[in-house]
Structures are given as structure tokens and as C-alpha cells.
Amino acid sequence: AQRVTQPEKLLSVFKGAPVELKCNYSYSGSPELFWYVQYSRQRLQLLLRHISRESIKGFTADLNKGETSFHLKKPFAQEEDSAMYYCALSAETSGSRLTFGEGTQLTVNP
Amino acid sequence: KAGVTQTPRYLIKTRGQQVTLSCSPISGHRSVSWYQQTPGQGLQFLFEYFSETQRNKGNFPGRFSGRQFSNSRSEMNVSTLELGDSALYLCASSLGRGYSGGSYEQYFGPGTRLTVT
């Protein structure tokens, strides 16, 4: 079975500071990892996925298979980054099923 | 193109009743997944349908069921409602799983807020 853990429920930083949202997973196969974001009163939406290796809105995430981690990073946080962030895993044998972490509420203070 | 729509958006039911929620996926998407979101348990997978067949099921009791129609629209039903079923129910649609085994992006609907009293 797969599991995703986000150790921080709440994270608060100041504008312009670096931010790192942690995500650890357990899965014996080859997972796909994602970060989803939910802004206030908006739908859950995909932020980025490890296979695309893109930088979206200044965020990056690297899959570290040795440490089974997929931490989300941004060098300079902006107030508009304040949102709920979910790390999610898809297993190759599970169709479109996503296993989500508990989420981290990021607040960027002015 | 139009996004995923869910109806109704809000629902209040009494314990013991049953409820049906509806999800219309993005045109061309054949996979529909359902999730339950609560403050205590977070986002929990309920089930996934692909081309009218249930492909995956989460760890929920048999009171939770679903189906998918030939136009890919999906419904989920909860019978004999309990207070603990109060939650936001999210539906997500996608093209499914790609040829290489990777998954396509999932698009989420706004959710149906179910309150059981």
C-alpha cells in the first residue's frame, strides 16, 4: 500500500523568504508524484508533477527516490502563494487513483 | 472548454436517508474519480470509473456506491447516511492512464458539500 506524509500542517513565512514544503512517501514500486494546490475558494488544481520537471509559478520539486521524498521549494515566496498544498502519489497499478498527504497550509506574510 | 461540474453544490440530509451526487466530466474524459474531503481525514479516495467500469475502490463501506454512464457522467450514492458522512465530495476527471503507464492530469470539480444532521 502507498502512503504520503506531509509533516507540517501549517507553515508561515515572510514575503521574499524561501519556502520548502515537505513530502515523504512510501511505496515499493515506481510512483508518480504530484503537488496540488487549493487557493481560497478555488478548486483543487495541479501545480506540478515530477515527470515533467517543470518550474510552475517559481515552484520546483525533485523526486528523491533514496529518501522517498518530493519536497516543494520556492526561493522567494509571494503573498499570492498562500494556499493549501497537497502532495499526492499515483501508483502504476492503480489507474488514476491518487493518494494524498494531509496537506500543508502555507501563509505568506507581507 | 468547460470544467468539471458537480451538482448539487450543497446538500443537507438527515441520518438514515440516502443521497445521490452527480459529476459531469470534461468532454472527452473517460475517467472519473471520487474523493471525500474532511478536516480530520483529509482527501480520501472513494472509487474510480473508466468507460462505465469501476476500476478502483477505496476503503469505504458498501453504503458508498457509484456508477458511470455511457456519456462518462458519473453518480455516487450514499445510503443510510451517518453523521460522519458529512464532508466535501470531490469529483475529478481525466483522460485516464497513458500508453506509457503515466497518468494524465486530473481536473477537479468544485465539490458537493454534504451535511448530515
Side-chain angles (χ1 to χ4, degrees):
Chain A
Q2 52 265 36
R3 183 176 173 85
V4 177
T5 304
Q6 294 177 248
E8 302 134 332
K9 279 190 163 45
L10 303 170
L11 187 60
S12 182
V13 300
F14 286 102
K15 178 182 171 181
V19 62
E20 181 179 47
L21 288 82
K22 291 184 167 49
C23 171
N24 291 92
Y25 68 90
S26 63
Y27 178 60
S28 55
S30 292
E32 276 192 85
L33 274 297
F34 306 84
W35 277 98
Y36 278 80
V37 62
Q38 190 167 30
Y39 300 102
S40 180
R41 289 186 291 277
Q42 291 190 29
R43 303 177 184 209
L44 195 60
Q45 58 187 285
L46 178 66
L47 179 62
L48 54 78
R49 56 200 302 172
H50 88 270
I51 59 173
S52 63
R53 305 184 68 82
E54 289 178 306
S55 171
I56 306 293
K57 298 184 178 183
F59 284 98
T60 58
D62 289 317
L63 178 60
N64 186 324
K65 291 188 177 180
E67 295 183 358
T68 59
S69 67
F70 188 56
H71 303 328
L72 183 68
K73 299 177 185 178
K74 184 168 182 177
F76 308 103
Q78 303 300 313
E79 289 180 68
E80 55 265 30
D81 296 329
S82 295
M84 190 71 163
Y85 291 80
Y86 292 96
C87 182
L89 178 154
S90 172
E92 69 265 50
T93 57
S94 298
S96 297
R97 173 179 184 161
L98 291 171
T99 299
F100 285 91
E102 305 91 334
T104 297
Q105 179 67 51
L106 173 66
T107 301
V108 181
N109 300 296
Chain B
K1 53 186 173 183
V4 177
T5 58
Q6 292 186 244
T7 57
R9 293 292 311 279
Y10 302 91
L11 208 46
I12 300 175
K13 290 286 188 178
T14 305
R15 270 184 305 176
Q17 288 186 314
Q18 73 160 17
V19 66
T20 299
L21 312 182
S22 180
C23 172
S24 292
I26 290 172
S27 177
H29 285 189
R30 294 162 66 189
S31 169
V32 174
S33 299
W34 289 89
Y35 294 84
Q36 182 194 65
Q37 186 175 28
T38 59
Q41 300 295 319
L43 282 152
Q44 302 281 314
F45 173 79
L46 280 154
F47 26 66
E48 179 201 358
Y49 286 87
F50 185 85
S51 294
E52 301 179 67
T53 301
Q54 188 180 85
R55 192 158 68 168
N56 275 292
K57 192 176 192 307
N59 293 327
F60 279 82
R63 300 185 296 106
F64 291 80
S65 63
R67 59 178 175 168
Q68 187 180 34
F69 302 96
S70 58
N71 61 359
S72 292
R73 189 177 70 85
S74 178
E75 289 181 347
M76 66 163 280
N77 184 277
V78 187
S79 62
T80 320
L81 284 165
E82 300 177 0
L83 295 179
D85 297 333
S86 295
L88 181 66
Y89 290 88
L90 296 175
C91 153
S93 80
S94 78
L95 291 169
R97 200 145 191 102
Y99 175 78
S100 62
S103 59
Y104 290 102
E105 179 174 351
Q106 294 202 45
Y107 294 83
F108 282 81
T112 294
R113 171 76 62 186
L114 172 64
T115 302
V116 182
T117 62

